[in-house]
Amino acid sequence: MSLFCGTACRRKSFLCYRLLSTFVTKTRYLFELKEDDDACKKAQQTGAFYLFHSLAPLLQKSEHQYLAPKHSLLELERLLGKLGQDTQRIEDSVLIGCSEQQEAWFALDLGLNSSSSINASLQKSEMEKELKGSFIELRKALFQLNVKDASLLSTAQALLHWHGAHQFCSRSGQPTKKNMAGSKRMCPSNEIIYYPQVKVWKRLSGEKLQKRWDWRWKDSTLLPSTGPFLIALS
Ligand SMILES: [Zn+2]
């Protein structure tokens, strides 16, 4: 009995240690990408992109649930080229996380900055055909996504929304510039730095939401990886 208990405890502490070390490695890596534009740009080469259109994520229907497809930088460049768009807009993407193997994940909204709405909706259906998926409002698809995708896409949507809403400095009115990872925006004229404020709403049971955390995006690598939750940025 005690032998069994000892083995179980050792196994449990080994598992805890492994989880912790993975967590620390990922946190360090994400911190580096948020601080170093060159490292972040390099990470895009081997990273994966989740695509949005006007804040609606690209999803693929599979049986009774939705899957969030990832695209490589090369695939993304090919798509933008095919649609006659500037690949420069890939720089609008924001870092949203990474895998255990340090594959960095980014989110990019392809629907923003469209010159006309007719043009935008035309492009949207063209993109959907090309990407073999649909841009679906996240709140409508949330319960048909797995926990990991739901939380990742919620983070991504909130961060993309925040960047869209903070294009200009509230003090000087000048355009702000995001860093490569999208963990902050800076106003070049008075050097004010804006950080996304993240509020996390944890879904405890059913549709009941409870506000749990409130922290700055730069600390948000502390995001727990378990349990479904929703995120709002203000
Ligand atoms: Zn300013």
Side-chain angles (χ1 to χ4, degrees), residues 145-160:
L145 284 163
N146 67 41
V147 172
K148 192 191 124 254
D149 284 349
S151 68
L152 197 65
L153 294 179
S154 299
T155 307
Q157 189 194 49
L159 197 57
L160 289 170

Side-chain angles (χ1 to χ4, degrees), residues 168-176 186-192 194:
F168 297 93
C169 174
S170 60
R171 201 74 63 83
S172 66
Q174 294 295 309
T176 55
M186 203 179 84
C187 170
S189 75
N190 52 16
E191 294 188 351
I192 292 178
Y194 295 88

